[in-house]
Amino acid sequence: MTDFSQIKLAIDGPIATITLHRPEKMNAFTRDMMRELIEAIDITDAEDAVRAVIVTGEGERAFCAGADLTPPQNEDGTPRHVFSDPTTVDDLSDPLVRDGGGQLVLRLFNSQKPLIGACNGVAVGVGATMQLPFDMRLCSDNARFGFVFAKRGITPEACSSWFLPRLVGMSIALEWCMTGRIFDAQEALDAGLVRSVHPQGELMDAARALAREIAENASPISVAMTRAMLWRLSAEDHPMKAHRIDSRSIYRLSRGADAKEGIASFLEKRPPEFTGKVSTDMPDFYPWWQEPEYK
């Protein structure tokens, strides 16, 4: 397993747990953390034994307090700017102007394993937006969220202008982003940003119970296909486009070993033992989309 410096990755049977691990900085986000999170998702995708991934933060204060705005240092110890000087970049498709939170979120969006967020405290800025592509989000009762960009003179990032209105509706998304206010767990629950609120000491148990429910009852191939279909096809402009993929998917999967096992386990009133592997047994037309380029 890869040694990370700003996150932790633990795999326990079918459940992987990724922990943002900069407790002295309230798990603030850096470019190094971005790269490590992307690498961790590469690992969990490649490991067929992993059926679900939980993402949380170290400690009881913060999931992630946003981007680390402490100026990093040059080799000579002098501070260097966190953001690139826009006057040095003429081409806005240049990789220098790519949003790091967006690069992470795009990788999370393409995960083949379900992602469960366990927000254990403060989550502002990228600490909030990186959670949007999670499939399910739970939080502790002391959690606080904030899309604070307008208060900092910038705009929402990490593809949140695409994700947030889909999750909570346009009106609430606009209010949260325009006011930039910090709001509590109950408001997040009422708006549908999180599916449940738990006492701090019970949050990870609830997240693991949800992960186990998926791991013990669902075909990993079915889950990977379902995740891709719901996230991608719900954004299409006509249901016919979903119908085409639905038809091909159910035709292919219904002839596979997991479908036979699913029916047999139901008739025999026993837990299923699915053998299909995401690494080798996805339908022959997956992926059906072409990933857009950054340009």
Side-chain angles (χ1 to χ4, degrees):
M1 193 64 66
T2 302
D3 290 328
F4 296 112
S5 64
Q6 299 194 1
I7 69 168
K8 294 189 294 185
L9 172 61
I11 297 178
D12 182 10
I15 302 173
T17 302
I18 298 172
T19 305
L20 312 187
H21 191 250
R22 298 186 73 216
E24 75 286 355
K25 293 284 190 177
M26 296 181 69
N27 305 320
F29 185 79
T30 69
R31 286 274 173 172
D32 288 338
M33 181 182 285
M34 174 201 77
R35 286 187 283 267
E36 291 186 3
L37 286 167
I38 289 173
E39 185 175 351
I41 296 299
D42 289 343
I43 291 170
T44 57
D45 267 3
E47 180 53 69
D48 283 316
V50 172
R51 299 289 188 87
V53 180
I54 298 170
V55 184
T56 191
E58 185 70 27
E60 298 186 353
R61 295 178 60 204
F63 173 80
C64 173
D68 188 346
L69 299 181
T70 304
Q73 293 185 333
N74 297 309
E75 291 183 2
D76 62 1
T78 59
R80 59 184 169 85
H81 295 297
V82 176
F83 302 107
S84 299
D85 180 356
T87 63
T88 66
V89 180
D90 295 323
D91 180 4
L92 291 181
S93 67
D94 191 295
L96 285 174
V97 302
R98 286 200 70 175
D99 163 38
Q103 292 178 67
L104 170 60
V105 160
L106 289 170
R107 182 62 187 92
L108 296 171
F109 179 66
N110 282 321
S111 171
Q112 292 182 311
K113 307 299 171 66
L115 303 177
I116 300 171
C119 182
N120 55 300
V122 173
V124 298
V126 70
T129 56
M130 77 163 73
Q131 297 187 56
L132 301 182
F134 296 166
D135 304 295
M136 290 141 268
R137 286 163 300 280
L138 297 71
C139 75
S140 58
D141 51 12
N142 69 321
R144 299 292 184 271
F145 301 87
F147 299 89
V148 298
F149 309 100
K151 286 186 172 181
R152 307 293 179 262
I154 56 176
T155 55
E157 39 66 271
C159 311
S160 54
S161 57
W162 192 91
F163 283 99
L164 188 59
R166 284 173 167 78
L167 295 175
V168 302
M170 184 61 76
S171 180
I172 291 175
L174 286 166
E175 179 182 339
W176 283 350
C177 292
M178 287 180 174
T179 65
R181 73 165 181 269
I182 307 296
F183 55 93
D184 62 16
Q186 186 61 51
E187 185 170 346
L189 179 65
D190 292 344
L193 183 63
V194 299
R195 51 87 76 181
S196 54
V197 178
H198 306 268
Q200 178 71 246
E202 299 174 13
L203 175 64
M204 288 304 294
D205 286 342
R208 291 188 191 102
L210 186 56
R212 282 195 302 271
E213 184 177 1
I214 296 170
E216 294 172 0
N217 295 289
S219 157
I221 296 174
S222 298
V223 169
M225 281 297 295
T226 298
R227 185 180 199 277
M229 290 165 67
L230 289 179
W231 272 117
R232 291 180 178 277
L233 298 176
S234 62
E236 293 286 4
D237 58 5
H238 195 283
M240 177 57 76
K241 295 180 180 178
H243 177 57
R244 292 169 185 154
I245 300 301
D246 293 351
S247 299
R248 296 171 72 185
S249 182
I250 200 162
Y251 179 84
R252 286 285 190 268
L253 267 62
S254 66
R255 284 156 176 74
D258 278 4
K260 294 181 177 66
E261 170 61 13
I263 294 170
S265 63
F266 172 75
L267 294 175
E268 295 167 14
K269 297 180 173 57
R270 60 172 174 79
E273 297 180 6
F274 295 115
T275 58
K277 297 180 179 180
V278 172
S279 62
T280 57
D281 300 325
M282 294 293 281
D284 55 4
F285 64 90
Y286 174 93
W288 64 87
W289 65 89
Q290 183 174 356
E291 202 69 22
E293 296 181 13
Y294 180 77
K295 60 181 182 179

